[in-house]
Amino acid sequence: MKYYIIAGEASGDLHAANLMKAIKQKDPEADFRFWGGDLMQKQGGTLVKHYRDLAFMGFLEVVQNLKTILNNIKICKADIKNYKPDVLILVDYPGFNLRIAKFAKALGIRVVYYISPQLWAWKEGRVEIIRKYVDDMLVILPFEKDFYQKHLVDAHFVGHPLLDAIGSLQPIDCQEFKHQNNLREKDIIALLPGSRKQEVKKMLELMLSVRSYFPDYQFVIAGAPSLDKDFYEQYVDEDVHFVSDKTYDLLRCCKAALVTSGTATLETALLNVPEVVCYKGSRISYEIGKRLIKNIKYISLVNLIMDKEVVTELIQNDLNTKNLVAELDKILNTEKRNQVLDDYEILRAKLGGSGASQNAAEIIVKGKK
C-alpha cells in the first residue's frame, strides 16, 4: 500500500517514525511519502517537507506567516493528488491536517488520524470535521475515547506511543555518558527549552536565571534536532553544557528537569525525572489562548492525565526566577520529590501497556479498502 503521512512537529516525527516501522512489519510492500523529520526519513520513503519549515508558534506568528502556511497547504494538496495514496495518516498538527483531511476525503482517500488534536481543551467544534472526514481516529490518551464517544465518533484507544519508545531503551552508564559529553561529575539539572528558536531563546534565559542558586549542580541543555548546534554555543560555559539528539539519555542521567510545556513533560515523567513545567508565550498569544481554552485546569499532559497537580506548572507571569528556584528546590530536596515519583507510577498504569505503534499499524493496514 501507499501511505502519505503528515507530522508537523518533533514529537509527531518520533511517533510517526515508530508507526512506519510497525507498518513495514505488517506490510512489507509499504511505500511512504511524508511531511516530517529525520526520524521518519530513517524509516525510508520520500520526505516532501521537513517539520522545521512548518512549525509556527503562537497566534501572532501564525498570522505573520499565513502566506507561507497557505502555500504549504496548496503544495500538500497537489502532492497528494499526484501520489494517489491508499491511506492518508495525519499526526496531530490540526490547523494544517484538518484541512488536508477534507481534501483527501473528497478524493476518495481513506483518512486516518493518529494522535488526536487537543479538542477537549479548545476548538471542540472541530469534532464535526473529524466526524465527516476522518475514517479512523486513533487516540493515545485514555480519556480521549470517552470524549469522542460523547460526540458520536468511534475512536480507538491504542495506548501511548511514548511507552514503546521509552520501553525500548537500552540501559545507560551515566558516568560514561558524562565522560563522552565532556560533562563534570556534578549532578545534572536538565533543561528542555523546546524545539523552536523563538521559544528556546525565551525559555533558556529564564531557566538559566536560577543557576547561581544551585552551585552544586551542572545545567545541561537538551538540544533540539531542528536547531543547529552553533545556536546553543552562546549559552555554554563552565557549568552550563549542551548535548544534541540525546534527550532521553540526558533525562535518565539527571536529578531534575525544567521543561517547556509540550510532549516533553510526559517524556520526562515516564523517564522518572521530577520536573517543573514552564510556559511563557507572547502576551497577545497568551491572552487569546486564555479566552479560547475551555475549563482546562492544567497545561501539562502529566497533570491532565492524572487530573491533579503532580508537577508544578509555572505559566506566563508566574514563570520567574523566584518561583523557579523555589519549585526546583522542592523537587531536589524535599518530600515533594518522593510524592512526584510515587504519582509517576500511577501515571504509567493509567496509560496502559506498550504496543501503541503496533496497535495503530494493525488498524491502518487491516482496514484497507
Side-chain angles (χ1 to χ4, degrees):
M1 285 214 300
K2 294 167 71 175
Y3 303 85
Y4 200 101
I5 308 175
I6 305 173
E9 297 175 312
S11 60
D13 180 38
L14 170 65
H15 300 324
N18 287 331
L19 177 63
M20 290 166 71
K21 183 178 179 180
I23 287 174
K24 287 191 294 184
Q25 292 170 359
K26 299 176 188 302
D27 179 8
E29 301 300 315
D31 184 81
F32 297 107
R33 190 170 179 87
F34 53 88
W35 297 46
D38 300 341
L39 296 176
M40 294 172 73
Q41 205 163 14
K42 287 177 183 176
Q43 293 300 322
T46 303
L47 174 66
V48 181
K49 268 189 180 288
H50 199 287
Y51 68 78
R52 72 169 69 95
D53 301 321
L54 306 175
F56 299 104
M57 174 188 165
F59 297 97
L60 190 59
E61 191 182 359
V62 167
V63 171
Q64 291 170 339
N65 292 278
L66 191 57
K67 185 177 179 181
T68 299
I69 294 168
L70 293 174
N71 188 54
N72 282 337
I73 290 171
K74 183 179 178 181
I75 291 168
C76 186
K77 287 180 177 179
D79 197 53
I80 289 172
K81 195 170 184 178
N82 182 60
Y83 181 61
K84 298 181 177 64
D86 296 292
V87 58
L88 170 68
I89 303 170
L90 307 172
V91 184
D92 198 0
Y93 197 50
F96 191 96
N97 277 339
L98 289 174
R99 290 175 180 235
I100 301 300
K102 182 177 180 180
F103 171 80
K105 187 69 174 175
L107 294 178
I109 297 168
R110 179 176 168 229
V111 179
V112 176
Y113 217 121
Y114 178 52
I115 305 180
S116 170
Q118 295 179 352
L119 304 185
W120 32 266
W122 71 312
K123 294 194 175 180
E124 190 170 336
R126 284 176 163 178
V127 174
E128 295 297 322
I129 301 173
I130 286 169
R131 188 190 297 123
K132 286 182 181 178
Y133 306 117
V134 174
D135 296 291
D136 293 291
M137 171 56 75
L138 313 182
V139 300
I140 63 172
L141 298 173
F143 60 80
E144 289 179 324
K145 183 174 175 64
D146 293 334
F147 169 81
Y148 278 106
Q149 190 169 23
K150 182 182 76 173
H151 289 280
L152 306 178
V153 175
D154 186 20
H156 308 271
F157 174 58
V158 296
H160 204 292
L162 281 180
L163 293 172
D164 297 339
I166 288 170
S168 65
L169 295 174
Q170 297 300 311
I172 186 171
D173 182 332
C174 288
Q175 289 302 113
E176 182 63 21
F177 173 77
K178 289 180 179 179
H179 175 71
Q180 289 177 349
N181 292 281
N182 299 313
L183 304 180
R184 304 176 75 183
E185 290 305 311
K186 290 181 175 182
D187 284 338
I188 294 171
I189 294 172
L191 306 180
L192 280 65
S195 59
R196 304 173 182 119
K197 189 173 287 189
Q198 168 196 4
E199 176 182 52
V200 170
K201 283 181 177 179
K202 182 182 296 181
M203 301 310 296
L204 273 181
E205 181 179 341
L206 286 160
M207 291 174 173
L208 287 171
S209 70
V210 309
R211 54 187 297 211
S212 62
Y213 296 88
F214 299 93
D216 296 332
Y217 294 86
Q218 58 184 323
F219 291 77
V220 183
I221 302 164
S226 56
L227 297 178
D228 294 333
K229 295 179 182 179
D230 293 346
F231 167 75
Y232 293 96
E233 290 301 324
Q234 60 190 302
Y235 302 104
V236 173
D237 61 26
E238 186 178 354
D239 274 314
V240 179
H241 306 273
F242 154 76
V243 297
S244 181
D245 297 332
K246 297 175 184 175
T247 300
Y248 282 5
D249 289 348
L250 171 61
L251 286 170
R252 290 192 289 166
C253 291
C254 76
K255 191 79 179 285
L258 303 180
V259 186
T260 296
S261 177
T263 304
T265 62
L266 184 56
E267 292 173 304
T268 302
L270 293 177
L271 287 166
N272 225 33
V273 179
E275 63 183 304
V276 179
V277 175
C278 307
Y279 175 79
K280 191 162 195 171
S282 72
R283 183 175 177 181
I284 293 174
S285 293
Y286 177 71
E287 290 298 329
I288 294 173
K290 192 167 65 171
R291 286 160 175 76
L292 290 176
I293 292 176
K294 303 170 38 187
N295 302 320
I296 297 296
K297 293 181 285 186
Y298 310 109
I299 63 168
S300 70
L301 286 171
V302 177
N303 292 344
L304 283 166
I305 295 165
M306 292 289 286
D307 196 26
K308 71 173 189 175
E309 186 182 273
V310 172
V311 294
T312 297
E313 301 175 352
L314 296 180
I315 304 170
Q316 211 63 9
N317 293 334
D318 288 336
L319 180 60
N320 55 53
T321 303
K322 179 182 176 182
N323 289 341
L324 274 172
V325 169
E327 296 302 328
L328 183 55
D329 181 68
K330 287 178 186 176
I331 59 173
L332 287 170
N333 301 311
T334 75
E335 178 57 29
K336 180 168 182 179
R337 178 180 181 85
N338 293 328
Q339 182 60 57
V340 169
L341 294 174
D342 288 344
D343 283 333
Y344 282 173
E345 289 188 29
I346 301 170
L347 172 72
R348 281 188 284 272
K350 277 181 173 281
L351 287 173
S354 59
S357 302
Q358 292 292 333
N359 294 338
E362 184 81 9
I363 293 169
I364 292 167
V365 174
K366 288 199 170 182
K368 63 183 179 180
K369 295 179 180 177

